[in-house]
């Protein structure tokens, strides 16, 4: 076997100009060393399939869910990556996406678009700028839509995954993708053929996936020698061409492949190489081949979440390396598409039959108990039955889709491929346009619902194969539970359209998937306990709305014995349901509150709708009793209201509940039946009065024992825990009271000045008593106030400038003094942008104006307080 070191250098033709006295432009001619760092940015879809929203995930605390947490640790920091000097001051803010080669999972991009449009736009902007810099070749590449293992997908799903990935990419980046990231880099030759059919130019693979390579045949040598490289020995510094069988027309077909540097990529993920830019640069430099080839590419690839989430703060390492270290070494930062355009393959490669980057056994990690991803003594015998169960369900759903889809669509499978248009834009007008284009004939309203249900059924049939469900050690983990929820929603939609019952068949097959957790025993038990209990009906959505409406602002209501109408004809939302409330009446009688209403729920996803009547009785505290029934006409609804409110006049909770049962039936809903998000919000509201009383009680205890507590701290003794806790709660309560008032009165000079004095006094007191205040809402208020004030200061020139800047500096000081983990990231970004686009340019033309010089001097001092490197400008002024 020939080792990589023994392989001949690339002897293909290069576009070098050695005779020209002019300097060769490495962006147009392949010369020198090129570096590409690829980040695979991806999160599995986490949305509840019934609500189209991610519910709170306690493990991601203090954030709402894992998308949000990883966003704050990785996606946003890379969009605004700090370049620091030795003093820790910000000398630059880089958009790492301008230099990284990257792919973002489409489901993650959808989340970013909804939750942080600023970062979303920075990613799109980075691709545009890289296109401008690299001759039209952007850093972004596409991804198979929801991260399925392509060799395990059937042919039709392969095409849909690639077509959805391409269409999503095109709608965001405004261009066709040149390359595509494959989930887990899982590849086989049938997948390559689909990629070629869909005009994908290149893919990125692990070096272990290559079998053998050789120089491309040329005139002097029509059959070069093959070199076996199956032990990860392929040279990753050049691109390769992979030929496929000729098509029916006898045309030669191929796709180009880049192999990332395996050892360096592993070091980035599992060693400390990313914590120091010099170390990273040295590690990359060690891979440069010294065989005098005209050009070579050092490429590495890893999960994008490595940069900031798995390895905190390493986005700064990348930013410094891209902007400072690599240029000093004379390296050109590029992406795969650009490098391919200036240095096309001169080598050919053949791949192993079926491979992936995180499994040594082909793709068995996603179908067998191969040991990859194992959890110590835990087995993965559940993987094969889970795969077989979902394959069985997929095939049954195909039968339903083809049988019923051909009734509504001219071409059902073409409609499925085009359904990505609806996933990107669910506005009624866009959905109508989609249906008009694909329907077999003008569909009635009920037929439109069936058509959309069929397409959603197919969407979840694809989502249930998301690779994460098999990646880890246990079927009952959140990832396995999530794909089973997708399966449940898919078979439920099949039942609604076709009346088929597939759940029993699925459960029978899942029962052969053994769990490692005694509580679950097997996959069927996981399904019953974690999936069936999470299914949501229209009645549950209506109950959610009914209970929460008691705490929403009312246009009118009654107290005592009178009842007033409250017509709400405007539309509202409950997750992915539009709510039209035709009528609601509410009456409070002592501790009892009764609301009765008529509403219509419409799913934004499938357009299903139901007219429902609700009655909800709040007995005080945590006790609610809610009933739902179909709307059966105006007369029935009016009589129902009359009876319920008449019974309420007796001020008997038991009689009111009995009347509700007689009118609605036995089924009822309480606070524990609410969706977690709203349940937690209501729990906070219902607890507020109690918490306020406790805050006041702790405050009194603190005041009564202030002298004792101070004595302990003065003498360096550990204060009694009870007194220390009382101090922290009391001061936290006082601090929040002041901050809420300060937020409201910030633009009132006299009031805000008074609030600032109170806040500074509270911070000093907390500092003297070594209190650690737990006030996340206060942290948020302070950060928002700082950004808001800075924006006004930078954009609104007025006579109170000196006062305003002093006020902002005091606010920053007291924020740090409170020691609540304040972040100045947004303020730094705002100031840094203004410094280079407004302050610095104006500074050099305003030196003759003493007033302007003083103003800029104060702004630069503020920049220093914000941690920005402003010394050169301050020196210039002085």
């Amino acid at each position: 076997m020939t080792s990589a070191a023994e392989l001949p250098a690339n002897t293909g033709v290069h576009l070098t100009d050695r005779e020209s006295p002019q300097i060769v432009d490495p962006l147009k001619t392949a010369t020198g060393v090129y570096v590409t760092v690829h980040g695979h940015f991806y999160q599995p879809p986490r949305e509840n399939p019934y609500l189209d929203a991610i519910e709170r995930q306690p493990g991601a605390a203090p954030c709402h869910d894992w998308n949000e947490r990883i966003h704050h640790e990785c996606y946003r920091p890379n969009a605004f990556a700090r370049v620091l000097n030795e003093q820790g001051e910000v000398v630059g803010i880089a958009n790492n996406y301008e230099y990284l080669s990257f792919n973002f999972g489409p489901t993650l991009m959808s989340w970013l678009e909804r939750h942080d449009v600023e970062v979303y736009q920075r990613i799109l902007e980075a691709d545009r700028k890289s296109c401008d810099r690299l001759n039209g070749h952007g850093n972004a590449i596409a991804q198979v839509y929801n991260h399925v293992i392509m060799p395990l997908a059937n042919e039709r799903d392969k095409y849909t995954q690639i077509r959805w990935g391409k269409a999503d990419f095109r709608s965001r980046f405004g261009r066709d993708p040149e390359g595509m990231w494959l989930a887990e880099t899982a590849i086989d030759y049938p997948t390559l053929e689909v990629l070629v059919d869909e005009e994908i130019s290149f893919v990125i693979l692990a070096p272990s996936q290559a079998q053998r390579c050789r120089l491309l045949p040329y005139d002097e040598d029509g059959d070069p020698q093959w070199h076996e490289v199956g032990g990860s020995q392929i040279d990753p510094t050049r691109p390769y061409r992979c030929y496929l069988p000729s098509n029916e027309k006898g045309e030669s077909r191929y796709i180009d492949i880049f192999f990332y540097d395996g050892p360096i990529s592993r070091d980035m993920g599992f060693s400390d190489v990313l914590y120091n830019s010099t170390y990273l640069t040295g590690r990359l430099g060690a891979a440069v081949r010294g065989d005098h080839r005209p050009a070579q590419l050092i490429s590495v690839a890893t999960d994008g979440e490595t940069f900031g989430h798995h390895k905190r703060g390493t986005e700064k390492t990348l930013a410094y390396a891209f902007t400072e270290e690599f240029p000093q070494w004379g390296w050109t930062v590029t992406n795969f598409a650009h490098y391919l355009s200036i240095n096309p393959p001169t080598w050919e490669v053949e791949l192993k039959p079926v491979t992936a980057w995180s499994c040594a056994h082909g793709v068995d990690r996603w179908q067998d108990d191969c040991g990859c991803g194992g959890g110590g003594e835990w087995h993965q015998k559940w993987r094969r039955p889970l795969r077989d169960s979902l394959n069985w369900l997929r095939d049954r759903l195909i039968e339903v889709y083809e049988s019923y889809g051909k009734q509504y669509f001219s071409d059902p499978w073409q409609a499925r491929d085009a359904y990505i248009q609806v996933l990107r834009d669910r506005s009624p007008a866009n959905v109508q346009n989609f249906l008009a284009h694909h329907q077999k004939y003008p569909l009635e309203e009920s037929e439109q619902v069936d058509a959309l249900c069929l397409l959603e059924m197919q969407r979840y049939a694809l989502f249930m194969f998301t690779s994460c469900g098999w990646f880890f050690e246990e079927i009952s983990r959140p990832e396995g539970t999530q794909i089973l929820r997708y399966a449940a929603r898919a078979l439920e939609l099949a039942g609604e359209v076709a009346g088929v019952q597939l759940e029993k068949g699925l459960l029978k097959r899942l029962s052969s998937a053994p769990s490692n957790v005694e509580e679950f025993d097997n996959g069927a038990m996981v399904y019953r306990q974690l999936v069936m209990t999470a299914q949501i009906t229209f009645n549950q959505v209506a109950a959610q709305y009914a209970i929460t409406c008691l705490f929403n602002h009312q246009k009118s209501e009654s107290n005592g014995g009178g009842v007033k109408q409250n017509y709400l004809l405007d539309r509202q939302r409950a997750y992915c349901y539009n709510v039209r409330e035709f009528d609601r009446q509410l009456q409070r009688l002592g501790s009892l509150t009764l609301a009765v209403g008529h509403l219509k729920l419409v799913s934004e996803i499938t357009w299903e709708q139901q007219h429902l009547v609700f009655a909800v009785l709040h007995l005080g505290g945590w006790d609610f009793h809610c009933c739902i029934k179909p709307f059966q006409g105006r007369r029935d609804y009016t009589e129902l209201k009359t009876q319920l409110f008449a019974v309420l006049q007796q001020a008997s909770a038991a009689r009111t509940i009995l009347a509700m049962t007689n009118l609605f039936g036995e089924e009822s809903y309480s606070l524990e039946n609410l969706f977690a998000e709203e349940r937690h919000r209501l729990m906070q509201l219902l607890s507020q009065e109690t918490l306020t009383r406790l805050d006041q009680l702790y405050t009194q205890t603190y005041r009564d024992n202030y002298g004792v507590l101070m004595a302990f701290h003065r003498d360096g003794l550990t204060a009694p825990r009870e007194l220390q806790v009382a101090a922290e709660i009391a001061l936290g309560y006082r601090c929040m009271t002041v901050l809420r008032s300060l937020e409201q009165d910030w633009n009132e000079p006299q009031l805000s000045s008074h609030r600032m004095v109170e806040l500074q006094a509270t911070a000093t007191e907390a500092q003297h008593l070594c209190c650690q205040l737990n006030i996340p809402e206060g942290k948020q208020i302070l950060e928002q106030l700082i950004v808001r004030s800075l924006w006004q200061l930078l954009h609104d020139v007025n006579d109170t400038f000196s006062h305003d800047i002093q006020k902002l500096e005091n606010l920053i000081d007291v924020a740090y003094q409170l020691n609540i983990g304040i972040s100045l990231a947004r303020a730094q970004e705002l100031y840094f942008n203004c410094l280079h686009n407004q302050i610095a340019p104006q500074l050099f033309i305003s030196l003759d104006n003493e007033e302007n010089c003083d103003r800029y001097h104060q702004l630069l001092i503020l920049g220093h307080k914000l941690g920005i490197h402003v010394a050169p400008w301050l020196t210039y002024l002085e």
Side-chain angles (χ1 to χ4, degrees):
M1 181 179 292
T2 307
S3 71
E6 298 170 330
L7 296 180
N10 188 334
T11 57
V13 178
H14 297 279
L15 300 176
T16 55
D17 188 3
R18 298 180 181 178
E19 299 178 0
S20 172
Q22 298 180 350
I23 297 175
V24 176
D25 183 355
L27 296 180
K28 296 180 179 179
T29 302
T31 180
V33 174
Y34 296 78
V35 174
T36 294
V37 179
H38 184 85
H40 164 50
F41 295 92
Y42 167 73
Q43 292 299 307
R46 292 188 166 98
E47 285 77 7
N48 182 315
Y50 294 89
L51 303 177
D52 196 37
I54 301 175
E55 297 177 283
R56 184 175 297 278
Q57 296 177 306
C63 295
H64 175 274
D65 54 69
W66 280 106
N67 278 19
E68 183 179 300
R69 178 165 172 178
I70 296 169
H71 171 62
H72 287 303
E73 294 174 352
C74 174
Y75 308 134
R76 185 173 184 90
N78 276 287
F80 299 94
R82 271 51 173 177
V83 180
L84 306 177
N85 61 16
E86 292 180 355
Q87 290 73 42
E89 295 175 320
V90 177
V91 297
I93 295 181
N95 184 349
N96 278 347
Y97 303 114
E98 288 185 32
Y99 307 97
L100 282 167
S101 167
F102 65 84
N103 69 279
F104 267 87
T107 53
L108 174 58
M109 279 294 271
S110 295
W111 185 91
L112 283 170
E113 187 177 14
R114 290 195 301 269
H115 291 85
D116 193 336
V117 70
E118 186 179 20
V119 169
Y120 177 75
Q121 290 297 336
R122 291 276 285 186
I123 294 168
L124 302 187
E125 179 187 23
D127 183 68
R128 288 193 296 269
K129 287 186 175 180
S130 62
C131 277
D132 294 341
R133 180 170 60 90
L134 300 172
N135 306 329
H137 302 284
N139 285 343
I141 66 171
Q143 178 197 295
V144 292
Y145 190 78
N146 65 278
H147 216 261
V148 304
I149 301 302
M150 292 292 275
L152 297 177
N154 65 26
E155 183 180 48
R156 189 178 283 119
D157 287 356
K158 282 183 170 73
Y159 276 102
T160 299
Q161 285 286 327
I162 293 172
R163 288 169 180 170
W164 280 15
K166 284 180 59 180
D168 185 89
F169 183 95
R170 190 183 304 114
S171 71
R172 299 182 192 281
F173 294 98
R175 63 182 180 86
D176 287 323
E178 297 183 77
M180 178 163 279
W181 183 267
L182 303 170
E184 304 293 336
T185 71
I187 194 72
D188 62 357
Y189 274 88
T191 300
L192 287 177
E193 292 188 22
V194 178
L195 288 164
V196 171
D197 287 346
E198 293 301 307
E199 300 180 333
I200 298 298
S201 298
F202 69 87
V203 294
I204 306 157
L205 300 180
S208 60
Q209 295 177 268
Q211 182 62 58
R212 62 178 187 166
C213 65
R214 66 173 181 175
L215 277 166
L216 285 173
Y218 55 99
D219 292 342
E220 288 78 8
D221 187 354
D223 188 22
Q225 178 185 357
W226 285 97
H227 304 277
E228 294 294 326
V229 292
S232 299
Q233 294 173 307
I234 195 163
D235 180 356
T237 65
R238 57 167 66 98
Y240 294 83
R241 184 148 290 172
C242 182
Y243 285 95
L244 306 176
S246 299
N247 61 16
E248 296 176 354
K249 298 179 182 179
E251 297 171 332
S252 176
R253 298 187 301 160
Y254 62 83
I255 190 169
D256 293 332
I257 297 176
F258 288 91
F259 297 93
Y260 62 79
D261 188 296
I264 302 178
S265 297
R266 280 192 297 273
D267 284 351
M268 291 175 71
F270 301 103
S271 79
D272 294 336
V273 70
L274 277 177
Y275 288 110
N276 183 285
S277 62
T278 302
Y279 186 17
L280 172 63
T281 305
R283 185 70 183 85
L284 291 169
V288 176
R289 306 296 173 107
D291 53 8
H292 306 295
R293 66 185 71 181
Q296 56 185 298
L297 175 69
I298 308 303
S299 66
V300 292
T302 188
D303 289 337
E305 290 74 20
T306 301
F307 311 127
H309 172 57
H310 299 307
K311 296 182 178 295
R312 298 295 294 273
T314 54
E315 77 283 348
K316 299 183 186 71
T317 304
L318 281 186
Y320 194 83
F322 284 139
T323 59
E324 301 291 335
E325 295 269 8
F326 294 173
Q328 289 177 13
W329 282 57
W331 297 345
T332 302
V333 177
T334 187
N335 60 48
F336 295 108
H338 171 253
Y339 191 76
L340 197 60
S341 72
I342 61 173
N343 195 22
T346 56
W347 282 72
E348 179 182 357
V349 68
E350 287 185 357
L351 301 178
K352 296 175 183 176
V354 185
T355 54
W357 75 346
S358 59
C359 181
H361 315 91
V363 292
D364 284 352
R365 184 169 188 162
W366 299 275
Q367 65 177 351
D368 275 318
D369 183 13
C370 68
C372 292
E377 297 180 357
W378 280 13
H379 64 75
Q380 293 83 51
K381 295 177 182 178
W382 51 270
R383 284 177 176 165
R384 172 58 68 179
L386 177 60
R387 173 68 61 176
D388 290 345
S389 298
L390 296 185
N391 282 342
W392 171 86
L393 179 59
R394 176 199 62 202
D395 294 342
R396 302 293 79 72
L397 296 175
I398 288 173
E399 294 170 3
V400 171
Y401 187 67
E402 289 186 328
S403 176
Y404 285 83
K406 67 184 180 183
Q407 298 178 27
Y408 304 127
F409 301 118
S410 301
D411 184 331
W413 295 109
Q414 188 180 77
R416 185 181 83 159
D417 286 342
Y419 190 55
I420 182 62
Q421 301 167 15
V422 173
L423 299 184
R424 288 286 294 123
D425 176 8
R426 290 194 180 275
S427 66
N430 187 58
V431 178
Q432 285 286 10
N433 288 336
F434 169 83
L435 290 173
H437 184 73
H438 292 280
Q439 64 191 4
K440 203 168 188 177
Y441 59 88
L443 300 178
E444 300 289 340
E445 186 175 307
S446 62
E447 293 174 320
Q448 290 179 339
V449 170
D450 281 351
L452 291 173
C453 284
L454 285 169
L455 289 164
E456 279 297 296
M457 175 192 77
Q458 280 297 305
R459 174 164 80 112
Y460 289 121
L462 290 165
F463 274 34
M464 68 188 185
F465 288 108
T466 302
S467 68
C468 312
W470 287 266
F471 191 79
F472 299 101
E473 72 280 5
E474 166 57 19
I475 188 174
S476 62
R477 276 181 57 105
E479 299 83 4
T481 302
Q482 185 74 4
I483 64 170
L484 286 175
R485 287 179 177 176
Y486 292 142
R489 181 60 176 148
L491 64 83
E492 182 181 60
L493 289 165
E496 291 177 8
V497 176
V500 296
Q501 300 299 318
L502 299 173
E503 194 166 58
K504 289 183 179 179
L506 179 64
L507 283 168
K508 179 181 178 181
R509 288 162 175 79
L510 287 174
S511 64
S512 61
S515 168
N516 291 284
V517 180
E518 185 177 352
E519 175 187 355
F520 296 116
D521 188 40
N522 58 53
M525 289 295 292
V526 172
Y527 187 95
R528 289 189 178 95
Q529 294 187 39
L530 301 180
V531 177
M532 294 176 72
T533 56
Q535 293 174 314
I536 293 169
T537 64
F538 270 82
N539 281 8
Q540 287 172 277
V541 177
Q544 157 99 10
Y545 182 84
I547 294 175
T548 55
C549 81
L550 296 177
F551 297 88
N552 296 334
H553 176 70
Q554 302 294 312
K555 291 183 177 178
S556 63
E557 63 180 53
S558 68
N559 293 291
V563 177
K564 292 184 180 179
Q565 296 281 358
N566 180 22
Y567 290 100
L568 296 176
L569 300 180
D570 53 314
R571 296 180 184 274
Q572 304 173 57
R573 279 184 96 245
Y575 290 95
C576 61
Y577 294 87
N578 280 317
V579 184
R580 184 172 184 186
E581 193 175 16
F582 296 100
D583 177 76
R584 187 205 312 165
Q585 291 183 7
L586 181 145
Q587 182 180 359
R588 302 187 192 279
L589 196 64
S591 63
L592 302 179
T593 303
L594 176 66
V596 181
H598 165 214
L599 55 79
K600 180 174 76 170
L601 290 177
V602 182
S603 167
E604 295 175 352
I605 309 296
T606 62
W607 291 8
E608 295 170 283
Q609 59 179 274
Q610 287 190 21
H611 280 266
L612 298 167
V613 174
F614 69 82
V616 56
L617 179 68
H618 184 201
L619 295 86
W622 306 91
D623 293 330
F624 296 83
H625 187 81
C626 179
C627 295
I628 307 292
K629 64 177 287 188
F631 177 75
Q632 296 174 333
R634 177 62 58 184
R635 177 181 296 179
D636 178 80
Y637 172 64
T638 302
E639 291 176 355
L640 179 146
K641 284 194 299 182
T642 302
Q643 291 182 51
L644 284 178
F645 285 117
V647 173
L648 183 68
Q649 294 306 306
Q650 302 174 36
S652 169
R655 290 181 180 179
T656 306
I657 291 174
L658 180 60
M660 290 170 67
T661 302
N662 290 335
L663 291 166
F664 285 86
E666 296 288 338
E667 187 175 33
S668 65
Y669 302 89
S670 62
L671 186 65
E672 66 182 21
N673 299 122
L674 291 188
F675 309 146
E677 202 75 28
E678 284 301 305
R679 184 171 67 249
H680 297 159
R681 185 178 74 87
L682 291 188
M683 288 165 63
Q684 290 288 338
L685 285 173
L686 293 167
S687 301
Q688 195 56 54
E689 185 177 345
T690 300
L691 292 174
T692 300
R693 287 201 303 270
L694 285 171
D695 285 333
Q696 293 167 347
L697 180 62
Y698 277 111
T699 298
Q700 188 60 50
T701 302
Y702 169 59
R703 287 174 179 167
D704 292 345
N705 295 275
Y706 176 78
V708 176
L709 192 58
M710 281 297 294
F712 274 97
H713 284 283
R714 185 174 55 247
D715 293 344
L717 300 175
T718 301
R721 182 172 177 272
E722 293 81 359
L723 294 182
Q724 188 68 26
V725 169
E728 291 179 352
I729 293 176
L731 290 174
Y733 176 61
R734 187 200 303 173
C735 190
M736 283 308 307
T737 303
V738 175
L739 279 172
R740 292 186 185 113
S741 298
L742 181 64
E743 183 180 33
Q744 184 176 347
D745 301 332
W746 183 254
N747 293 321
E748 299 292 333
Q750 189 171 355
L751 287 173
S752 61
S753 178
H754 177 65
R755 303 300 183 206
M756 281 295 297
V757 170
E758 289 183 297
L759 188 61
Q760 286 167 336
T762 304
T764 301
E765 198 170 327
Q767 205 170 34
H768 287 164
L769 296 174
C770 303
C771 291
Q772 182 61 55
L773 304 185
N774 181 24
I775 49 171
E777 183 190 348
K779 174 179 178 291
Q780 185 179 28
I781 290 174
L782 279 168
E783 290 173 353
Q784 291 174 349
L785 263 181
I786 290 170
V787 171
R788 191 176 84 190
S789 303
L790 179 61
W791 193 94
Q792 290 174 340
L793 195 69
L794 295 173
H795 294 89
D796 296 340
V797 180
N798 54 55
D799 296 335
T800 62
F801 176 81
S802 295
H803 173 268
D804 292 343
I805 205 166
Q806 184 62 52
K807 184 177 167 183
L808 177 55
E809 289 180 349
N810 290 342
L811 185 65
I812 295 170
D813 288 339
V814 77
Y816 277 124
Q817 190 179 356
L818 284 168
N819 192 29
I820 55 176
I822 196 77
S823 170
L824 295 179
R826 300 291 181 104
Q828 286 180 338
E829 291 153 16
L830 177 59
Y831 182 92
F832 190 86
N833 180 64
C834 192
L835 173 66
H836 289 274
N837 293 312
Q838 291 176 243
I839 298 174
Q842 290 296 317
L843 180 64
F844 300 111
I845 62 176
S846 302
L847 292 179
D848 295 335
N849 187 313
E850 185 175 340
E851 183 179 344
N852 281 345
C853 282
D854 181 61
R855 181 173 179 271
Y856 285 123
H857 185 269
Q858 291 181 70
L859 280 174
L860 291 172
I861 294 297
L862 174 64
H864 179 71
K865 185 175 286 291
L866 289 170
I868 307 295
H869 179 60
V870 293
W873 292 279
L874 277 172
T875 302
Y876 186 80
L877 274 179
E878 295 167 356

